[in-house]
Amino acid sequence: MNRRTFITSTTATATAAAIGFGTNAILTKPAPGKETMNTPTQPFWPDKARLVISISMQFETGAQPERGASSPFPPLDPKYPDLPVQKWYDYGFKEGIPRIRDMWDRVGVKVTSHMVGQAVERHPELAKEIVDRGHEASGHGQTWEPQYSMTPEQERAGYQASIDTIQKATGTRPIGFNAFWLRGTPNTLGILQDLGFIYHIDDISRDEPFTVTVKGKPFAVVPYTIRNNDIVRFDSPATTNAAYLQDLKDDFEVLYAEAATRRRMMSISAHDRISGIPGRVKLLEEFIKYAQKQKGVVFMRKDEIAKWALLASNVPHET
């Protein structure tokens, strides 16, 4: 079943089509032994899909500072340029994104790419190819500078610059946002609303999308993840590919079981220079193929989830 069929089965069909859903949701056949599992009795997702999985691909290579960027290397006195760290980041655009991007094609999944504006400026062709292959370009700030220390004027200018940079390179305008380490400011959502964004991901408090009121209007939240996030799992403390794969499967199985009676969503995060190495691409591909064997599993970009959540009448709302 293609994503158009998936969307048009909802009660908000006409409106959803009008605001631009894409075409990547994948419903798959059940694996042997899975056919007897309960299916949802309520339409928690369009077309009675059971569980939605949404994957983020961070595009950050090229925006990192010359000194002080986090990496696997021991800290270096900031008075010296950290040359090997820069090469570690370069792997993200030279090898990581091309490898993981090809894997998305093999498994037929579309993702959301959170793009730092300066990374897009340095690698515009790569950013455009990501979008040309059907993935979403989402805002991730214009620079590596954290948002939490910015003034409202700095925030607004940075987000507008990010919009302009992504739009120039890819031909698409970002409508979603991810702050540096999820740490925005009390002004962030209002500024995003003013600039035409419709959702952010900087919330890990639920396993389902919800909405909040921002300046008297609804704003979507498509929850992010720390537990299924490579930058955390391969660093704090470091895990193995096999252990991370098992953790993904365990997380999936619990959410899949819960999805029989309530709306459930699974989020996964993959960074260009971290998940783009050969073994980690292999583990992600294995997990995706495993999940696709289960009945009613759908992969969606975050902009699609946000648009649906803003139209649905039964998603949680927080004031």
Side-chain angles (χ1 to χ4, degrees), residues 89-156:
Y89 277 90
D90 282 353
Y91 190 92
F93 86 89
K94 291 179 179 179
E95 302 283 358
I97 286 182
R99 178 179 292 119
I100 200 170
R101 177 200 60 200
D102 290 345
M103 185 270 286
W104 304 141
D105 286 351
R106 288 197 300 273
V107 295
V109 166
K110 306 304 180 186
V111 305
T112 292
S113 184
H114 308 285
M115 299 181 175
V116 180
Q118 284 185 344
V120 174
E121 286 179 341
R122 288 181 169 87
H123 313 293
E125 298 85 1
L126 186 56
K128 186 175 189 304
E129 186 171 358
I130 290 170
V131 170
D132 287 348
R133 293 202 188 191
H135 307 293
E136 176 196 3
S138 172
H140 196 20
Q142 178 64 12
T143 68
W144 201 262
E145 184 182 0
Q147 283 80 27
Y148 61 80
S149 59
M150 291 181 178
T151 66
E153 293 74 23
Q154 289 171 328
E155 273 199 272
R156 185 179 298 272

Side-chain angles (χ1 to χ4, degrees), residues 24 45 49-56 109-112 114 201 203-204 206-209 221-230 233 243-259 262-270 283-284 286-292 294 296-302 305:
N24 73 290
W45 291 102
R50 180 169 182 137
L51 176 66
V52 164
I53 300 175
S54 187
I55 303 177
S56 296
V109 166
K110 306 304 180 186
V111 305
T112 292
H114 308 285
I201 69 167
D203 191 308
I204 54 173
R206 291 182 185 268
D207 288 318
E208 64 180 313
V221 183
V222 183
Y224 193 46
T225 179
I226 294 298
R227 65 180 186 269
N228 297 327
N229 189 317
D230 59 355
R233 299 309 309 282
Y244 187 42
L245 174 60
Q246 188 59 55
D247 286 345
L248 288 174
K249 289 181 177 180
D250 290 345
D251 207 66
F252 171 88
E253 289 174 1
V254 172
L255 291 171
Y256 191 86
E258 292 178 354
R262 59 188 300 201
R263 183 181 295 109
R264 300 284 78 184
M265 172 190 142
M266 182 176 181
S267 181
I268 300 171
S269 176
L283 85 84
L284 281 173
E286 183 175 341
F287 170 75
I288 291 169
K289 290 178 177 178
Y290 161 80
Q292 287 176 332
Q294 318 308 316
V297 173
V298 177
F299 287 82
M300 294 179 71
R301 303 181 340 184
K302 288 176 172 59
I305 296 171

Side-chain angles (χ1 to χ4, degrees), residues 189-221:
L189 296 189
I191 293 170
L192 293 175
Q193 180 87 283
D194 289 344
L195 292 177
F197 289 85
I198 68 168
Y199 80 93
H200 80 121
I201 69 167
D202 302 322
D203 191 308
I204 54 173
S205 65
R206 291 182 185 268
D207 288 318
E208 64 180 313
F210 61 101
T211 61
V212 294
T213 299
V214 179
K215 293 191 171 183
K217 296 186 290 186
F219 195 81
V221 183

